[in-house]
């Protein structure tokens, strides 16, 4: 869904074996994992920038002065959580030798996928539509199911239409929310869920008024479509992911003293900081974003 990408090689042993046999003009490395960063020195390229692994100390190191800040972000936790004010996008631009000027995401959804999403949501209702994106790349980023149920129930009772989404690993949670919020079909018009392809998932935010999401792929899709988003932040830092020029994101942060932790968790990985973000606050944030868009619902003057 990006016309500027000619080829994608998923990172596996086959790609790792193939890349050192190819030649490139430039290599930009944004991954700190030794298995990926260790490839950089073995790839033939005229120009390299970012992170590499190995060298005289068998460790991660920065290639060039422009990657120094990026290196510290990936190796020094306090620097990342307390001192950094740059988003990942700004840092990627800097490493590559460019200045970030708020360039938008490039996303071109196939028309067929967009049409299928339109058909899924078509019901003739004029209710404001809120997407509940329950997924997260790490367990510590995931909002508790009980909070999603509480928020969904309040939104539904106030006359909002809900669209439930998540990744392949979130299917059981999505199905549970759909079943409990739709009330065995009693609220079928106001609660929608279907298993979506990646293209359909990418199309969905364009058809919603507000997205509620953790720090995940769904949040970046909201940015790509310039849709208002309530962002739930536990271990993640908002400074890393919310572009400074974007005014359509309301971030709700954990009240835990150790948040954000950049996922180097004092809790041992069991989570808990997302639990402190209250459903009532998320509901208020949804209403505030709708009001700013001029899509004020009749129950919320």
């Amino acid at each position: 869904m990006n016309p500027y990408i000619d080829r994608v090689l998923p990172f596996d042993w086959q790609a790792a074996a193939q890349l050192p046999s190819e030649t490139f003009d430039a290599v930009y490395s944004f991954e700190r994992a030794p298995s990926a960063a260790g490839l950089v020195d073995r790839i033939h390229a005229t120009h390299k920038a970012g992170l590499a692994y190995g060298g005289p100390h068998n460790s991660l190191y920065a290639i060039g002065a422009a990657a120094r800040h990026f290196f510290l972000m990936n190796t020094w936790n306090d620097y990342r959580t307390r001192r950094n004010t740059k988003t990942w996008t700004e840092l990627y631009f800097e490493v590559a030798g460019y200045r970030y000027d708020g360039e938008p995401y490039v996303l071109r959804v196939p028309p067929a996928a967009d049409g299928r999403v339109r058909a899924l949501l078509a019901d003739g209702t004029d209710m404001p539509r809120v997407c509940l994106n329950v997924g997260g790349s790490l367990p510590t980023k995931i909002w508790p199911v009980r909070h999603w149920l509480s928020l969904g129930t309040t939104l539904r009772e106030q006359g909002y239409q809900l669209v439930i989404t998540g990744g392949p690993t979130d299917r059981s949670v999505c199905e549970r929310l759909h079943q409990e919020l739709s009330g065995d079909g009693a609220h079928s018009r106001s609660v929608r869920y279907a298993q979506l392809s990646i293209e359909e998932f990418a199309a969905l935010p364009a058809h919603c008024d507000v997205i509620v999401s953790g720090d995940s792929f769904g949040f970046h899709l909201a940015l790509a479509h310039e849709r208002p988003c309530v962002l739930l932040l536990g271990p993640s830092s908002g400074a890393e992911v919310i572009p400074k020029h974007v005014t359509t994101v309301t971030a709700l942060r954990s009240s835990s003293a150790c948040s954000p932790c950049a996922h180097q968790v004092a809790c041992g990985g069991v989570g808990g900081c997302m639990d402190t973000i209250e459903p009532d606050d998320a509901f208020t944030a949804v209403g505030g974003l709708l009001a700013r868009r001029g899509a004020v619902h009749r129950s919320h003057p």
Side-chain angles (χ1 to χ4, degrees):
M1 290 179 280
N2 185 328
Y4 301 106
I5 295 176
D6 300 306
R7 186 166 48 132
V8 175
L9 296 178
F11 182 65
D12 54 22
W13 73 266
Q14 293 171 311
Q18 175 183 336
L19 286 172
S21 298
E22 300 193 21
T23 300
F24 298 90
D25 294 310
V27 171
Y28 301 111
S29 172
F30 303 118
E31 178 55 62
R32 68 178 179 179
S35 55
L39 274 175
V40 176
D41 281 342
R42 295 188 285 124
I43 298 175
H44 304 287
T46 305
H47 174 72
K48 296 180 182 181
L51 302 178
Y53 183 87
H57 302 291
N58 292 326
S59 62
L60 194 71
Y61 64 92
I63 306 173
R68 180 64 179 171
H69 185 102
F70 188 69
F71 170 78
L72 292 173
M73 283 280 289
N74 281 275
T75 55
W76 185 6
N77 197 51
D78 283 352
Y79 186 90
R80 178 175 172 181
T81 57
R82 300 181 183 181
R83 302 189 185 188
N84 174 63
T85 60
K86 297 180 180 180
T87 63
W88 289 117
T89 307
E90 289 178 88
L91 292 170
Y92 295 154
F93 270 64
E94 286 183 9
V95 168
Y98 298 98
R99 186 182 72 181
Y100 177 60
D101 287 323
E103 287 83 355
Y105 284 41
V106 176
L107 177 66
R108 297 185 184 175
V109 176
D114 187 71
R116 290 192 294 271
V117 170
R118 288 178 181 273
L120 170 67
L121 300 178
D123 60 1
T125 180
D126 60 353
M127 294 185 291
R129 183 176 292 143
V130 179
C131 173
L132 306 182
N133 180 53
V134 306
S137 57
L138 295 170
T140 51
K141 285 185 176 183
I142 295 176
W143 212 30
V145 175
R146 67 180 185 278
H147 285 0
W148 285 116
L149 283 170
S150 176
L151 173 62
T153 300
T154 303
L155 288 169
R156 187 199 65 201
E157 290 176 348
Q158 292 297 322
Y160 294 88
Q161 185 183 54
L162 308 178
V163 183
I164 301 168
T165 62
T169 60
D170 307 309
R171 180 176 174 180
S172 61
V173 173
C174 290
E175 290 178 345
R176 176 183 171 186
L177 291 177
H178 181 232
Q179 181 178 8
E180 295 195 27
L181 291 173
S182 60
D184 295 325
H187 300 280
S188 59
R189 290 187 66 214
S190 57
V191 183
R192 294 302 177 92
Y193 166 68
Q195 296 180 49
L196 304 177
S197 67
I198 188 71
E199 292 84 4
E200 292 163 347
F201 188 26
L204 182 64
H207 302 283
C208 297
D209 295 298
V210 176
I211 289 84
V212 182
S213 176
D215 174 21
S216 67
F217 180 48
F219 167 63
H220 292 282
L221 288 175
L223 292 178
H225 287 287
E226 300 181 346
R227 281 294 186 266
C229 182
V230 178
L231 177 61
L232 311 173
L233 294 172
S236 301
S237 169
E240 297 176 7
V241 296
I242 305 174
K244 296 178 178 64
H245 66 281
V246 171
T247 60
T248 54
V249 175
T250 298
L252 299 181
R253 295 176 171 85
S254 170
S255 61
S256 296
C258 55
S259 172
C261 67
H263 314 297
Q264 300 188 26
V265 288
C267 65
V270 298
C273 60
M274 291 288 286
D275 302 35
T276 66
I277 304 173
E278 296 295 333
D280 285 348
D281 292 336
F283 173 73
T284 300
V286 168
L289 286 171
L290 282 171
R292 285 165 56 187
R293 287 193 72 201
V296 182
H297 188 251
R298 57 181 176 276
S299 298
H300 300 82

